[in-house]
């Protein structure tokens, strides 16, 4: 405490915050770094400014490195848990884990893996996810209905409903699927291009690619081949680019 009296006020305040008895009131590492970088009072006459900022940068780099390592380890743990439930056929338990613990990308990958391993369990997983109102589950079930050769128009209507629910819950890839459904099954090109445009505005690359295709072909809008092809190329949806380019050529 005696040493603290000799410190600049801002350092003294920071130390007191860090050693407070209430853990919730202690600043996080990120908050400390932010304070050190943005508050000029920390740079006193006794401190070399260049060395000061170099030291902060070194700490940031170390924190980022550890964060990346933790992300990798978390992803590996997620994969092990997913594989475990999948191997036992415990679709309900798997869906609970996915819904409560995983991001959209991880959930989507788990569904894809399940589809390749066991289609019946895939449908079970979809239905368990729908009971939990999971966005990815709505999308995956919709695509299963669309791709089923025995699907009737009622099934297509169900698929549309689930894609719309998926969009409401923030799964942007469903914009692409819904726009295609509206164009190919319902022949509602005005609605289709509107949905593709909404998805593109949300940042979905596949919706951007499809929007470019619609514009290049004059589907639901005035035909502009140059603009449309440019949008397809710039969309970043490389896995769909060749498919649409072939249709336009």
């Amino acid at each position: 405490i005696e040493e603290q009296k000799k410190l600049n006020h801002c350092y003294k305040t920071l130390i007191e915050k860090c050693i407070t008895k209430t853990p919730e009131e202690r600043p996080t590492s990120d908050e400390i770094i932010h304070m050190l970088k943005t508050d000029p009072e920390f740079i006193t006459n006794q401190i070399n400014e260049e060395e000061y900022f170099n030291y902060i940068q070194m700490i940031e780099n170390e924190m980022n490195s550890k964060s990346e390592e933790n992300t990798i380890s978390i992803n590996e743990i997620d994969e092990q848990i997913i594989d475990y439930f999948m191997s036992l056929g415990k679709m309900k338990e798997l869906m609970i884990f996915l819904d409560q613990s995983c991001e959209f990308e991880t959930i989507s990958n788990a569904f894809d893996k399940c589809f390749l391993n066991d289609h019946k369990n895939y449908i079970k997983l979809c239905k368990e996810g729908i009971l939990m109102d999971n966005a990815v589950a709505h999308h995956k079930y919709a695509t299963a209905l669309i791709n089923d050769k025995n699907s009737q128009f009622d099934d297509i209507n169900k698929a549309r409903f689930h894609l719309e629910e998926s969009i409401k819950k923030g799964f942007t890839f469903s914009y692409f699927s819904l726009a295609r459904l509206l164009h190919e099954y319902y022949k509602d090109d005005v609605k289709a291009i509107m949905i593709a445009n909404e998805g593109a505005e949300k940042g979905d690359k596949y919706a951007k690619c499809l929007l470019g295709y619609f514009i290049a072909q004059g589907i639901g809008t005035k035909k502009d081949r140059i603009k449309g092809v440019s949008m397809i190329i710039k969309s970043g949806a490389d896995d769909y680019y060749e498919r649409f380019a072939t249709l336009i050529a």
Side-chain angles (χ1 to χ4, degrees):
I1 302 299
E2 288 300 319
E3 289 296 320
Q4 287 185 34
K5 293 179 181 179
K6 301 177 184 178
L7 293 173
N8 179 283
H9 173 72
C10 61
Y11 283 98
K12 182 176 182 291
T13 302
L14 178 57
I15 291 170
E16 288 173 346
K17 286 181 179 179
C18 290
I19 62 175
T20 182
K21 293 181 179 179
T22 308
E24 291 78 12
E25 294 178 3
R26 297 170 192 164
T28 65
S29 300
D30 288 335
E31 288 171 340
I32 293 172
I33 290 292
H34 179 74
M35 283 187 278
L36 293 174
K37 288 175 68 175
T38 59
D39 189 343
E41 288 190 18
F42 282 102
I43 307 174
T44 64
N45 293 332
Q46 292 77 34
I47 290 177
N48 181 300
E49 185 171 345
E50 183 178 355
E51 291 181 356
Y52 173 85
F53 282 108
N54 285 342
Y55 183 70
I56 293 175
Q57 186 62 55
M58 183 187 74
I59 295 173
E60 273 193 301
N61 292 340
E62 184 74 17
M63 287 170 59
N64 289 336
S65 175
K66 289 182 178 179
S67 177
E68 290 175 3
E69 290 174 2
N70 288 338
T71 299
I72 293 170
S73 63
I74 289 171
N75 288 340
E76 289 175 349
I77 292 170
D78 286 350
E79 285 295 323
Q80 290 173 5
I81 295 171
I82 290 166
D83 289 343
Y84 170 74
F85 285 131
M86 208 171 286
S87 67
L88 297 176
K90 293 183 175 293
M91 296 300 105
K92 182 176 181 178
E93 290 79 1
L94 173 56
M95 193 61 236
I96 290 171
F97 169 72
L98 293 172
D99 187 62
Q100 295 181 353
S101 306
C102 300
E103 302 293 333
F104 282 161
E105 184 177 0
T106 301
I107 299 173
S108 182
N109 290 339
F111 269 93
D112 292 343
K113 181 182 286 189
C114 187
F115 177 81
L116 293 173
N117 290 337
D118 189 326
H119 187 261
K120 288 184 179 179
N121 276 340
Y122 173 80
I123 297 300
K124 287 180 183 178
L125 187 62
C126 288
K127 291 182 177 180
E128 291 292 349
I130 289 169
L131 289 174
M132 299 172 197
D133 211 13
N134 181 273
V136 180
H138 279 292
H139 175 89
K140 297 296 184 178
Y141 188 59
T143 57
L145 290 171
I146 294 167
N147 294 324
D148 187 344
K149 293 179 181 179
N150 298 317
S151 284
Q152 304 297 316
F153 194 69
D154 284 347
D155 297 315
I156 300 303
N157 284 334
K158 289 178 184 177
R160 178 176 182 172
F161 167 78
H162 286 293
L163 289 173
E164 289 170 346
E165 289 300 302
S166 179
I167 287 171
K168 288 177 186 177
K169 288 157 184 60
F171 192 58
T172 56
F173 184 52
S174 288
Y175 282 103
F176 168 81
S177 301
L178 180 58
R180 284 194 63 183
L181 188 73
L182 290 165
H183 167 59
E184 296 173 13
Y185 287 89
Y186 291 92
K187 310 302 179 186
D188 188 348
D189 292 341
V190 174
K191 181 72 172 176
I193 196 168
M194 185 185 78
I195 293 296
N197 187 61
E198 286 181 12
E201 289 178 351
K202 294 284 186 180
D204 183 72
K205 62 182 180 180
Y206 299 105
K208 289 179 184 178
C209 189
L210 184 60
L211 179 62
Y213 171 73
F214 284 162
I215 291 172
Q217 296 289 76
I219 296 171
T221 188
K222 182 179 178 181
K223 185 174 182 176
D224 189 332
R225 189 175 187 281
I226 294 174
K227 179 182 178 181
V229 171
S230 176
M231 290 178 68
I232 291 172
I233 295 170
K234 292 178 181 178
S235 69
D238 298 337
D239 46 341
Y240 274 85
Y241 167 72
E242 291 185 6
R243 181 185 303 184
F244 287 127
T246 301
L247 292 172
I248 292 169

